[in-house]
């Protein structure tokens, strides 16, 4: 990967490449794209080593990439071999990653319609096209840069050299500009609008056949806009753990109805936390769900079973365990083997705990749990719900 940071920004203004987007700097999102494209070494043109450059280097090295800050073009000659490929990104460009991956399966220079792109700051190629700020070119072209002045914009000059050598131009869809999915040096307002769309796109497309999960996914995406990149990414998950503990303690003392209500709240925050974590971990190598998330996923069903046990009549003896265990067991089986549109419905513990809390308040939690278990069992015999 070859990238640049804007030189000589106006005093007191943050470089566009350092502005925040979805919890990371724009240049860090460029780095994520380089990782997605299979780059092994990152050469970044800088005019000085700043705190942000050090953070970028740390992120690159954590991803397993070699990071080299470059001040002079001649430094590239020892980094790039003739058999290498160069994935170059111009300063401040924030592309649409999927469009890049689909368009650059071979050497090429990405281009946008000049009438839309040039007024926004993209470099003109000809009357009809402007450089989109990204290209994939052969490494042998790097030697030609040696004939140019040292202060030349290396990606821009390399783009011209690539076109002169016959590298193909790949024209991108103009809707990337129209729909604000491709930027160069975006201002904070443009970044905020795009960030909102980008985070919303990370939601799982859950229909309202699973109303609890559908609401939680949307609420989690909204929360992610406020907390990602601000050190509060785990707030919803921690709140979920607190509500889970309270469900056991207060449910045992005040009644199953309160515990189940708190369990529903815990499930809500747990799902919101998963959305936030999903957004925060995008672009990070080998990202895995946190241990707390896994613990909550494991613990919620036993908590519901225990609270249903507490809400059952004491004269049932050990049979007080039977209905709640059967209910959760059938839900687990249906969640695994049902057809795709209905799996989320069976997995919706927010809805389940909410219904059971209301039933427990009126003293019918065992009866409602038994009816739900029967409905789940019967539903497995219908083709719209089952795969078989």
């Amino acid at each position: 990967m070859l990238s640049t940071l804007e030189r000589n920004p106006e005093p007191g203004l943050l470089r566009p490449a350092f502005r925040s987007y979805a919890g990371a700097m724009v240049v860090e999102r460029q780095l994520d794209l380089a990782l997605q494209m299979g780059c092994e070494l990152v050469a970044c043109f800088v005019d000085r080593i700043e705190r942000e450059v050090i953070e970028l280097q740390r992120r690159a090295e954590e991803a397993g990439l070699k990071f080299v800050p470059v001040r002079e073009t001649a430094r590239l000659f020892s980094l790039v071999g003739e058999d290498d490929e160069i994935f170059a990104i111009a300063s401040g460009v924030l592309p649409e990653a999927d469009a890049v991956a689909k368009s650059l399966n071979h050497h090429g220079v990405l281009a946008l319609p000049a009438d839309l792109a040039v007024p926004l700051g993209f470099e003109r190629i000809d009357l009809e096209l402007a450089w989109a700020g990204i290209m994939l070119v052969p490494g042998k072209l790097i030697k030609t840069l040696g004939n140019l002045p040292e202060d030349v914009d290396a990606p821009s000059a390399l783009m011209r050299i690539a076109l002169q050598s016959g590298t193909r131009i790949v024209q991108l869809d103009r809707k990337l500009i129209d729909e604000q999915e491709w930027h160069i040096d975006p201002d904070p307002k443009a970044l905020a609008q795009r960030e909102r769309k980008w985070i919303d796109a990370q939601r799982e497309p859950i229909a309202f056949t699973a109303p609890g999960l559908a609401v939680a996914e949307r609420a989690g995406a909204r929360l992610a806009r406020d907390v990602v990149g601000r050190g509060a990414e785990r707030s919803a998950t921690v709140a979920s753990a607190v509500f889970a503990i309270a469900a056991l303690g207060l449910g045992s003392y005040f009644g199953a109805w309160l515990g189940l209500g708190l369990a529903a709240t815990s499930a809500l925050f747990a799902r919101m936390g998963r959305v936030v974590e999903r957004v925060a971990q995008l672009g990070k190598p080998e990202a895995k769900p946190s241990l707390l998330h896994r613990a909550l996923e494991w613990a919620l069903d036993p908590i519901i079973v225990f609270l249903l046990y507490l809400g059952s009549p004491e004269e049932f003896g050990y049979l007080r365990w039977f209905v709640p265990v059967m209910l959760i067991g059938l839900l687990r089986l249906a969640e695994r083997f049902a057809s795709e549109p209905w799996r989320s419905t069976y997995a919706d513990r927010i809805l389940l705990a909410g219904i059971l809390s209301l039933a427990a308040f009126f003293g019918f939690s065992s009866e409602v749990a038994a009816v739900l278990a029967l409905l789940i069992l019967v539903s497995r015999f219908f083709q719209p719900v089952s795969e078989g």
Side-chain angles (χ1 to χ4, degrees):
M1 173 188 172
L2 177 66
S3 180
T4 61
L5 299 177
E6 180 190 41
R7 299 174 186 268
N8 302 320
E10 295 182 30
L13 293 181
L14 186 68
R15 298 172 187 254
F18 293 156
R19 287 176 180 151
S20 178
Y21 173 71
M25 294 182 293
V26 169
V27 71
E28 288 179 308
R29 292 303 175 192
Q30 292 182 344
L31 183 65
D32 295 342
L33 177 58
L35 185 63
Q36 181 181 337
M37 295 294 292
C39 295
E40 298 177 354
L41 181 146
V42 175
C44 183
F45 276 91
V46 299
D47 51 1
R48 59 184 180 273
I49 302 298
E50 303 171 79
R51 175 181 57 83
E52 291 84 356
V53 175
I54 296 173
E55 292 178 2
L56 181 64
Q57 179 173 0
R58 182 170 59 248
R59 186 181 180 108
E61 291 174 349
E62 288 176 353
L65 303 179
K66 182 179 179 182
F67 182 91
V68 181
V70 176
R71 287 190 175 92
E72 299 177 351
T73 306
R75 181 74 173 89
L76 296 176
F77 303 154
S78 62
L79 299 175
V80 182
E82 290 191 2
D83 296 330
D84 293 332
E85 291 183 319
I86 301 173
F87 178 65
I89 306 178
S91 175
V93 171
L94 183 61
E96 205 286 312
D98 291 339
V100 175
K102 292 176 183 177
S103 303
L104 285 184
N105 51 14
H106 190 58
H107 295 158
V109 175
L110 298 187
L112 292 163
D115 61 321
L116 293 177
V118 171
L120 297 176
F122 291 91
E123 182 178 352
R124 183 184 291 275
I125 295 176
D126 54 31
L127 289 177
E128 296 183 356
L129 298 174
W131 184 35
I134 291 181
M135 62 185 169
L136 180 66
V137 297
K140 63 184 180 180
L141 298 181
I142 204 72
K143 291 185 177 180
T144 313
L145 287 177
N147 301 324
L148 301 176
E150 279 297 329
D151 61 350
V152 70
D153 183 346
S156 176
L158 192 59
M159 180 269 295
R160 296 292 175 182
I161 293 170
L163 293 180
Q164 292 169 10
S165 68
T167 302
R168 67 184 181 124
I169 294 178
V170 182
Q171 186 168 353
L172 298 170
D173 196 321
R174 65 190 297 119
K175 75 177 182 180
L176 292 171
I177 294 290
D178 291 334
E179 298 178 4
Q180 297 188 356
E181 294 181 347
W182 199 290
H183 288 94
I184 187 169
D185 293 347
D187 58 34
K189 182 179 179 180
L191 279 176
Q193 292 175 345
R194 184 171 172 185
E195 179 182 285
R196 187 178 302 112
K197 291 175 59 179
W198 184 80
I199 289 178
D200 286 343
Q202 310 312 315
R203 291 191 288 108
E204 290 186 14
I206 295 177
F208 277 93
T209 51
L213 295 182
V215 169
E217 284 283 330
R218 287 159 175 79
R222 180 63 188 86
L223 179 64
R225 299 179 205 165
D226 297 329
V227 301
V228 171
R230 295 173 173 83
E233 290 87 351
R234 301 186 65 189
S235 57
T237 306
V238 172
S240 175
V242 171
F243 278 111
I245 295 171
L248 285 173
L250 298 181
S252 300
Y253 190 79
F254 291 103
W257 67 271
L258 178 58
L260 287 166
L262 292 170
T265 308
S266 174
L268 174 68
F269 277 100
R271 189 68 181 205
M272 290 171 61
R274 283 182 58 184
V275 178
V276 173
E277 184 178 84
R278 194 184 309 144
V279 172
Q281 290 185 343
L282 281 172
K284 294 183 179 179
E286 301 180 357
K288 297 179 180 179
S290 68
L291 180 62
L292 184 57
H293 266 304
R294 294 196 293 270
L296 286 169
E297 289 178 358
W298 176 87
L300 186 59
D301 281 348
I303 289 174
I304 293 175
V305 168
F306 176 71
L307 291 170
L308 284 175
Y309 164 80
L310 291 180
S312 301
E314 293 185 5
E315 58 266 25
F316 286 4
Y318 288 108
L319 290 178
R320 297 168 68 186
W321 293 105
F322 180 76
V323 171
V325 169
M326 285 295 296
L327 172 62
I328 296 300
L330 287 170
L331 281 171
R332 285 283 187 176
L333 287 173
E335 180 184 342
R336 181 175 180 181
F337 295 108
S339 56
E340 191 64 34
W342 287 94
R343 289 183 183 179
S344 295
T345 304
Y346 293 121
D348 192 347
R349 297 298 188 269
I350 305 169
L351 175 64
L352 175 69
I355 292 174
L356 293 175
S357 174
L358 185 63
F361 181 79
F362 291 102
F364 298 105
S365 59
S366 297
E367 292 83 347
V368 171
V371 170
L372 289 174
L374 180 61
L375 289 175
I376 295 163
L377 181 62
V378 171
S379 72
R380 298 296 300 132
F381 291 94
F382 291 93
Q383 183 64 28
V385 181
S386 67
E387 292 181 338

